[in-house]
PDB file of all heavy atoms in Angstrom:
ATOM      1  N   SER A 284      34.567 -39.741 -18.608  1.00 92.00           N
ATOM      2  CA  SER A 284      35.722 -39.277 -19.358  1.00 92.00           C
ATOM      3  C   SER A 284      35.965 -37.802 -19.149  1.00 92.00           C
ATOM      4  O   SER A 284      37.103 -37.325 -19.030  1.00 92.00           O
ATOM      5  CB  SER A 284      35.579 -39.624 -20.786  1.00 92.00           C
ATOM      6  OG  SER A 284      34.489 -38.816 -21.359  1.00 92.00           O
ATOM      7  N   ASP A 288      39.452 -36.405 -17.703  1.00 88.00           N
ATOM      8  CA  ASP A 288      40.179 -35.464 -18.516  1.00 88.00           C
ATOM      9  C   ASP A 288      40.450 -34.148 -17.729  1.00 88.00           C
ATOM     10  O   ASP A 288      41.567 -33.577 -17.842  1.00 88.00           O
ATOM     11  CB  ASP A 288      39.451 -35.077 -19.822  1.00 88.00           C
ATOM     12  CG  ASP A 288      39.358 -36.220 -20.791  1.00 88.00           C
ATOM     13  OD1 ASP A 288      40.145 -37.148 -20.554  1.00 88.00           O
ATOM     14  OD2 ASP A 288      38.622 -36.107 -21.792  1.00 88.00           O
ATOM     15  N   VAL A 387      14.024 -33.424 -19.284  1.00 96.00           N
ATOM     16  CA  VAL A 387      15.304 -33.889 -18.677  1.00 96.00           C
ATOM     17  C   VAL A 387      15.095 -35.016 -17.620  1.00 96.00           C
ATOM     18  O   VAL A 387      14.308 -34.863 -16.749  1.00 96.00           O
ATOM     19  CB  VAL A 387      16.048 -32.750 -17.912  1.00 96.00           C
ATOM     20  CG1 VAL A 387      17.362 -33.190 -17.337  1.00 96.00           C
ATOM     21  CG2 VAL A 387      16.321 -31.577 -18.914  1.00 96.00           C
TER      22      VAL A 387
END
Side-chain angles (χ1 to χ4, degrees):
S284 67
D288 290 347
V387 179

